[in-house]
Amino acid sequence: MTELAKPLKKTELLSDDKRLDAYLKKLSALKERKSLREVVEREVLLEFITLNHSRINEFPLLTAQQQSIINMLTHRSKEHPGYGFIQKIIGNFLVLLNHYGKALATEDKESKDRLTAPLLNIEKLLIKCVQGVVYGAALLIDNFEEIVIRYFGAEAIKIFNEVVEHYELGAAFWREMLQRFVTDKVRDAYKEIIDNEQYAISSEQTRIVIRFSFDDVLGKLQSTSQQIEKTRVQGAFERNHADPEAIETVKLISDMLLASPNYLDRKDAPTEGVSFVSYIVCIDPVAQDYRDRARERMAKGQEVTPLEDASNADNPEDASYNFLVEQVLAVAFGAAISSDIIIGDFLRVLRDYHNCDADAVRSMVNHFGAEPLRKTFFYLLETAFQGHLREKAEEWAGKVQVASSKRRRNTVGEVDSLDAIGLNRIRRSRVWEHDPADPNMLLFRARQAKELVQTAKTLQMEEPLLLRTLQLWEAASFRVEFWLILNLKLIARTTKNIKGKVSEILSAFGVLKKGA
C-alpha cells in the first residue's frame, strides 16, 4: 500500500498578501535546500492547495484522495497531452513569485504592486486546474460507487469507503476494487451455486458437461431497485444534460475548446471526449460567466474565438474575455487529465484480469457513464466466473476445458409490443424461442445480426417491424452459460480407473460431494 502523507489541515482563507507571503516562504525554504525542480513544483503546489482547498469545490477530505489530486497534477500527468498547459501555469507562477520575492527583499513597492495582480490571476488559473481534476475524479469515482451500491446494496458502501480511504487513485486502487466487488463476489456466488446444486450435468460418449447459468451468478447479487441519491457532482453533471440553459452553455464551451489553439491537438481530443469534458467544465461557475460574456460579444458582432496568446489582447475588454477563456481551459485540462488517468489505470489493470479483453472494455466503458459501467460490470463478472473455473481446471492439464455460450434475449413484454406493428405468431416463432431458464424471456434464434436480417427478409417484414426488431437485438440482454467439459478420452490416457478419476475431478469442483 502506498504510504500516505499527512492530511491537509483545515485553514481559513488568508488575505492575498498573506497567501503570497506563504508561497514565497515555502519557495525560499526549498531554494535554500537546493531542491530539484520537480520537488519545488510539487511542494509549492502542496502548499498552494493547503492554503486554497476551501476555495475548491468538492475537494476530498481523505488523505489518500488528496495525494491522488496532487500526483495527477504533477508526475502522473507527464505523459498526458495536457501536461504542458499546467506546467506552463506552475512555471509562470514560480517565476513571478521569484520576482515578487526580490521586490519584497529590495522594498521595491512599485514592482511589488505591479506583480501582485498577475500573480493572483495565475493563482486563480491554478485553482481552476485543481478544480477540474477534482470534478473529473469525483464524477468517475461517484459513478463507480453508484454501480456497486446498485448491485450489492448498502453493505457495499462500507467496503467501498475502506478502499477509497486507504488507496490512492491508481492501479492498486482498481485492483482492490475488482478484488472486492468482482473476484470475491464471484467466488462467493460459485460456492453458493454449488451448495444449492444450481447446475446441470449431462453425459455423452466422450465427455461429461457441467453447465452453469450466469443468471444464477447475478441472482446472488444484492441488487436494489431503490433510488440512489446522487452526489452534488453527479447531480450537476446530469443537470447539464437536461437544463436548456446548461445545454447551450455546454455547446458554447465545446465549440470554444475545439476552436482554441491552446487546447489539445485534435488527435488527442476527439469530439466525443471534448463533449464529455465540456459537461464537467459546466459544473464550475466560470462556465456560466463565459457563456454570458460570449453572448454579449456575439450580440455586438465581436469575435469569440480564443486568441492564441491572451496577453496580446488589444484592449482591456478583450484581455478580460481571454482571461475568462483561460480559466475555462484550466478546468478543461484538469478534468481531461484526471478522467484520462483514472480510466487509463482501470483499463491497464484489466489487461491482467482473467484474460479480460481490455479493448472490448475500452469500447464499453466510455467515460464511466451509468449504462457503460453496467455493461462493463456484467462483462467483468462473466470474465471472473469463467476465470475462476479456468483456475480450478488448470490442475487437470487439459483434461477439463472451460467454454461458454452467449445468446441475446428480450423480455416477453418487449416482444409483445411488436404485435401492433405486424409481428404475428409465425414471425415470432421464427425469430425468437422460449428461454428454458426463464419463462419471462425469449431468446433470439439467430446468433449473428446478418442471420437475423436474412430471416427478416425471408419473412418479408415491413420496415417499421424490421427496424424495431433490430433495435431489440441491439438493446438485448444476454443469456450466458459456462461449461466445464471433462474429456474422457484424455482422462483414459493417464488412468485405468476412469470412473475414479472423474469422481476426483467432480469432487474438486464441488459438484460431487466427497464420500458420495
Side-chain angles (χ1 to χ4, degrees), residues 23-295:
Y23 304 146
L24 189 58
K25 183 178 178 182
K26 171 62 73 173
L27 179 60
S28 299
L30 292 165
K31 287 169 65 177
E32 285 179 12
R33 297 201 300 266
K34 297 182 180 179
S35 301
L36 295 173
R37 179 177 178 82
E38 291 81 0
V39 175
V40 171
E41 290 177 354
R42 181 179 174 81
E43 290 298 312
V44 171
L45 182 61
L46 178 59
E47 182 71 9
F48 177 90
I49 292 176
T50 301
L51 296 174
N52 289 284
H53 70 276
S54 61
R55 301 166 71 184
I56 302 166
N57 294 330
E58 308 304 322
F59 192 80
L61 300 176
L62 295 172
T63 306
Q65 304 316 306
Q66 293 172 356
Q67 284 296 104
S68 299
I69 300 303
I70 294 166
N71 290 341
M72 283 191 279
L73 281 163
T74 53
H75 67 278
R76 292 218 62 205
S77 58
K78 280 188 176 180
E79 302 303 319
H80 193 277
Y83 179 70
F85 180 88
I86 291 180
Q87 274 297 103
K88 182 179 178 181
I89 292 176
I90 295 175
N92 288 343
F93 183 71
L94 293 176
V95 168
L96 283 177
L97 200 56
N98 265 314
H99 293 326
Y100 182 84
K102 291 176 182 177
L104 283 180
T106 59
E107 298 183 354
D108 185 347
K109 187 177 184 303
E110 182 180 346
S111 294
K112 171 185 173 291
D113 293 343
R114 188 180 69 253
L115 290 164
T116 298
L119 255 175
L120 294 177
N121 280 347
I122 291 183
E123 180 191 53
K124 184 175 287 188
L125 290 179
L126 199 48
I127 286 174
K128 292 302 181 185
C129 289
V130 179
Q131 185 67 79
V133 171
V134 169
Y135 282 147
L139 178 66
L140 268 58
I141 301 306
D142 289 347
N143 285 351
F144 186 82
E145 181 182 20
E146 182 177 336
I147 284 292
V148 298
I149 293 173
R150 170 70 60 206
Y151 294 107
F152 296 112
E155 71 172 32
I157 298 174
K158 181 182 177 182
I159 301 172
F160 184 90
N161 287 342
E162 285 176 1
V163 179
V164 170
E165 183 176 355
H166 290 97
Y167 290 85
E168 293 179 29
L169 298 177
F173 174 88
W174 287 119
R175 275 194 290 269
E176 189 67 16
M177 283 292 185
L178 292 178
Q179 180 68 41
R180 302 280 196 102
F181 290 110
V182 180
T183 303
D184 290 351
K185 299 297 184 182
V186 158
R187 289 180 179 176
D188 291 345
Y190 179 82
K191 183 180 182 301
E192 201 170 333
I193 286 168
I194 292 297
D195 290 344
N196 295 333
E197 299 185 5
Q198 293 174 286
Y199 51 81
I201 300 179
S202 61
S203 180
E204 303 170 11
Q205 287 185 339
T206 60
R207 65 181 193 170
I208 294 174
V209 180
I210 308 159
R211 291 179 171 83
F212 299 91
S213 172
F214 186 55
D215 286 351
D216 292 327
V217 179
L218 297 180
K220 309 308 176 191
L221 305 183
Q222 302 298 315
S223 301
T224 177
S225 58
Q226 293 182 350
Q227 184 71 25
I228 299 173
E229 187 176 355
K230 301 288 184 181
T231 65
R232 286 188 292 270
V233 170
Q234 286 179 305
F237 186 79
E238 290 193 356
R239 284 194 295 276
N240 290 338
H241 285 77
D243 179 72
E245 283 272 291
I247 291 171
E248 180 192 351
T249 307
V250 169
K251 177 68 165 57
L252 286 169
I253 296 291
S254 181
D255 290 346
M256 186 271 280
L257 294 179
L258 288 170
S260 174
N262 293 324
Y263 194 55
L264 303 172
D265 292 338
R266 290 187 183 277
K267 63 182 176 62
D268 296 316
T271 302
E272 182 182 350
V274 172
S275 176
F276 173 71
V277 167
S278 298
Y279 281 106
I280 297 178
V281 171
C282 288
I283 297 173
D284 193 86
V286 75
Q288 286 73 49
D289 294 340
Y290 170 78
R291 177 199 64 205
D292 294 343
R293 188 72 66 85
R295 282 173 173 171

